[in-house]
Amino acid sequence: MALPLPWEEETGVYTGNSSTPRGDRGSCYHFAMSGKSYQVVFEHFTNLLPKILVNGTVFARMSPGQKSSLIEEFQKLNYYVGMCGDGANDCGALKVAHAGISLSEQEASVASPFTSKTANIKCVPHLIREGRAALVSSFGVFKYLTMYGIIQFISALLLYWQLQLFGNYQYLVQDVAITLMVCLTMSSTHAYPKLAPYRPAGQLLSPPLLLSIFLNSCFSCIVQISAFLYVKQQPWYCEVYQYSECFLANQSNFSTTMSLERNWTGNATLIPGSILSFETTTLWPITTINYITVAFIFSKGKPFRKPIYTNYIFSFLLLAALGLTIFILFSDFQVIYRGMELVPTITSWRVLILVVTLTQFCVTFFVEDAILQNHELWLLIKREFGFYSKSQYRTWQKKLAEDSTWPPTNRTDYSGDGKKGFYINRGYESHEQIPERKLKLGSQPTEQHFWTRL
């Protein structure tokens, strides 16, 4: 296979400045190929096809079958392939591609999942931005729901250890007023108007996503266990569900106007007994505020989405949920405490709960934004530890960058691993261009290999 410089009519290779040393060319060359040349390479030089595709720039005058075949070959190299077309001959390629965009509302729009109202390719960056924003939003909702289950599991496990549990209204505020509203509005943030030079993580098992869930789980576990154990060390602590008289005796220490009703026996009315406890009163605001903070952290805007404040409904719901939780935490109204099944505590303890949740938010936000979502840091880690992409096209690019004999110029390659034999395609060449010696060899009936000049 001969590839003359700088271009040929059917297949061309451009290598930039001819004075550049061959070993330093890297990827500063591009291939242009027509449908006829692609068919010959596809049928008789399959070992060269991946090398050409990774630096292929122009593929012109191709039949519908060749377009579909080209897209499939790119997909075999682990490329994500997009296709734009406006006619019936593009339907096959539009259907095969990962993202097919019809530039008209005629036949092509039936086969393609996307249809552009403008008949040009300026819609491609817009589709990429929207696709990345949708992917990031989906992963954000997935991480939030995962953290929601983990946070609630930790708190429920601690309470079950003491034969306690959250009240019905406590669960209702967390599940409906926060989690349900977050899941319905979290993905409404629009795409960032500027296309980022890199793409987000495309796998659920990627290190940033797994580390995000793991570290947030660790932070939540540390805070909840510390609060659960520390409240037991307070001088005013008592097991309310077992010792109601102890609670009534210590009630004067709390800065609240709430008073518990006594029945005719003189005992406090505690309904139900296993819900009213200092552990529940301590863990509920911590977990509730933690739900709100992780929803905010996982809704990161730039570089793939607009800032969170542009999602007005989501921002309003987060602020409303945070304000409601803080109001319940610091309120001294008997009807609220009775309805939420909480135990009144001293003001300093409530302030401490708020400070702890704020500190957890600051630590979690810093780790998520400065470390886990730092693209430059992950690139540095990959270089230091020698991690490289396992995609086929990345492997080929690395091999070709180190190959000083590629691209081949002023050279003839033979099909069949370089054995004797050739294939003469008279549609490409005239008799004057074909050596007489090879014409004689081409007339031999036992020849099974092929040769072509591109």
Side-chain angles (χ1 to χ4, degrees):
M1 174 181 178
L3 296 174
L5 285 171
W7 291 98
E8 266 191 359
E9 180 182 359
E10 296 296 334
T11 300
V13 55
Y14 176 69
T15 57
N17 190 354
S18 59
S19 62
T20 304
R22 296 189 62 88
D24 298 336
R25 286 180 180 179
S27 59
C28 58
Y29 56 89
H30 303 272
F31 288 106
M33 180 179 291
S34 69
K36 295 180 180 179
S37 299
Y38 171 80
Q39 193 66 29
V40 173
V41 174
F42 178 78
E43 294 181 357
H44 306 295
F45 296 90
T46 55
N47 60 320
L48 295 180
L49 189 58
K51 300 180 181 180
I52 295 176
L53 293 183
V54 293
N55 287 103
T57 303
V58 179
F59 298 90
R61 299 195 297 273
M62 304 186 75
S63 66
Q66 291 170 348
K67 294 178 182 179
S68 301
S69 174
L70 176 64
I71 292 177
E72 290 175 348
E73 293 300 322
F74 272 121
Q75 291 173 341
K76 291 178 182 178
L77 296 176
N78 303 126
Y79 278 109
Y80 290 95
V81 187
M83 172 66 186
C84 292
D86 59 355
N89 59 341
D90 300 320
C91 290
L94 290 171
K95 190 174 182 179
V96 173
H98 289 102
I101 307 174
S102 173
L103 301 181
S104 69
E105 297 182 0
Q106 304 302 322
E107 299 89 347
S109 62
V110 178
S112 62
F114 303 100
T115 302
S116 174
K117 295 183 179 180
T118 57
N120 52 57
I121 61 173
K122 70 178 183 180
C123 61
V124 175
H126 178 69
L127 178 63
I128 296 175
R129 292 195 304 268
E130 293 293 337
R132 290 179 175 180
L135 180 64
V136 173
S137 298
S138 300
F139 282 4
V141 174
F142 171 80
K143 290 196 297 182
Y144 174 77
L145 289 176
T146 303
M147 283 305 306
Y148 164 74
I150 294 175
I151 294 171
Q152 195 170 86
F153 171 76
I154 295 173
S155 59
L157 194 63
L158 292 173
L159 293 177
Y160 286 167
W161 183 29
Q162 296 292 108
L163 301 179
Q164 302 169 7
L165 71 161
F166 285 130
N168 293 332
Y169 288 102
Q170 295 172 2
Y171 277 121
L172 192 64
V173 170
Q174 294 178 346
D175 296 344
V176 178
I178 298 178
T179 302
L180 180 61
M181 296 296 101
V182 166
C183 293
L184 292 177
T185 59
M186 188 176 185
S187 58
S188 300
T189 307
H190 294 287
Y192 195 71
K194 183 178 179 181
L195 185 62
Y198 59 92
R199 63 185 182 185
Q203 296 180 351
L204 286 175
L205 299 181
S206 60
L209 190 145
L210 294 179
L211 280 176
S212 176
I213 294 178
F214 175 75
L215 293 178
N216 277 279
S217 301
C218 291
F219 296 151
S220 179
C221 186
I222 292 173
V223 170
Q224 290 191 47
I225 293 178
S226 300
F228 182 80
L229 297 178
Y230 189 58
V231 71
K232 296 177 179 294
Q233 309 300 323
Q234 302 306 309
W236 40 262
Y237 170 81
C238 63
E239 297 183 13
V240 179
Y241 67 95
Q242 290 184 6
Y243 306 105
S244 58
E245 292 295 337
C246 170
F247 168 72
L248 292 174
N250 292 334
Q251 184 183 357
S252 59
N253 296 329
F254 306 137
S255 60
T256 177
T257 60
M258 175 184 172
S259 61
L260 293 180
E261 298 179 357
R262 292 176 176 269
N263 56 22
W264 62 276
T265 61
N267 296 325
T269 303
L270 303 176
I271 304 174
S274 61
I275 295 177
L276 290 176
S277 67
F278 288 106
E279 292 88 346
T280 304
T281 305
T282 301
L283 290 181
W284 183 81
I286 291 178
T287 56
T288 305
I289 296 178
N290 199 2
Y291 294 145
I292 300 172
T293 56
V294 295
F296 177 84
I297 293 172
F298 293 156
S299 300
K300 186 177 184 295
K302 191 178 178 181
F304 303 112
R305 292 184 294 179
K306 289 183 177 180
I308 186 176
Y309 58 80
T310 60
N311 190 348
Y312 303 112
I313 299 178
F314 179 69
S315 302
F316 172 77
L317 290 175
L318 285 186
L319 292 176
L322 180 61
L324 176 63
T325 305
I326 295 177
F327 173 75
I328 294 176
L329 177 63
F330 285 94
S331 66
D332 287 332
F333 300 103
Q334 179 180 357
V335 62
I336 294 179
Y337 270 81
R338 180 179 298 176
M340 293 300 299
E341 299 170 335
L342 297 174
V343 177
T345 57
I346 59 176
T347 304
S348 60
W349 182 251
R350 307 179 201 180
V351 173
L352 180 61
I353 291 175
L354 187 61
V355 171
V356 168
T357 55
L358 179 61
T359 304
Q360 181 185 0
F361 165 74
C362 294
V363 173
T364 305
F365 182 82
F366 173 79
V367 172
E368 185 77 19
D369 188 69
I371 300 178
L372 299 180
Q373 300 298 330
N374 192 332
H375 183 68
E376 290 75 14
L377 178 61
W378 284 105
L379 290 179
L380 178 62
I381 293 175
K382 289 181 179 180
R383 286 195 299 265
E384 291 296 329
F385 289 92
F387 292 111
Y388 297 98
S389 174
K390 296 182 180 180
S391 299
Q392 291 292 330
Y393 72 92
R394 293 291 188 186
T395 303
W396 279 109
Q397 288 175 346
K398 185 179 179 182
K399 290 181 180 179
L400 297 179
E402 299 172 353
D403 187 1
S404 60
T405 63
W406 184 264
T409 57
N410 300 324
R411 192 184 82 189
T412 301
D413 288 345
Y414 295 92
S415 176
D417 298 330
K419 299 178 182 179
K420 292 183 178 180
F422 60 91
Y423 164 71
I424 300 174
N425 191 329
R426 301 185 185 277
Y428 295 140
E429 307 184 37
S430 62
H431 291 283
E432 291 76 10
Q433 294 175 309
I434 304 174
E436 186 65 25
R437 177 178 60 84
K438 293 176 180 177
L439 280 173
K440 294 180 180 179
L441 290 174
S443 63
Q444 297 178 3
T446 58
E447 191 58 62
Q448 297 180 357
H449 302 291
F450 303 96
W451 170 88
T452 185
R453 179 179 183 273
L454 299 177

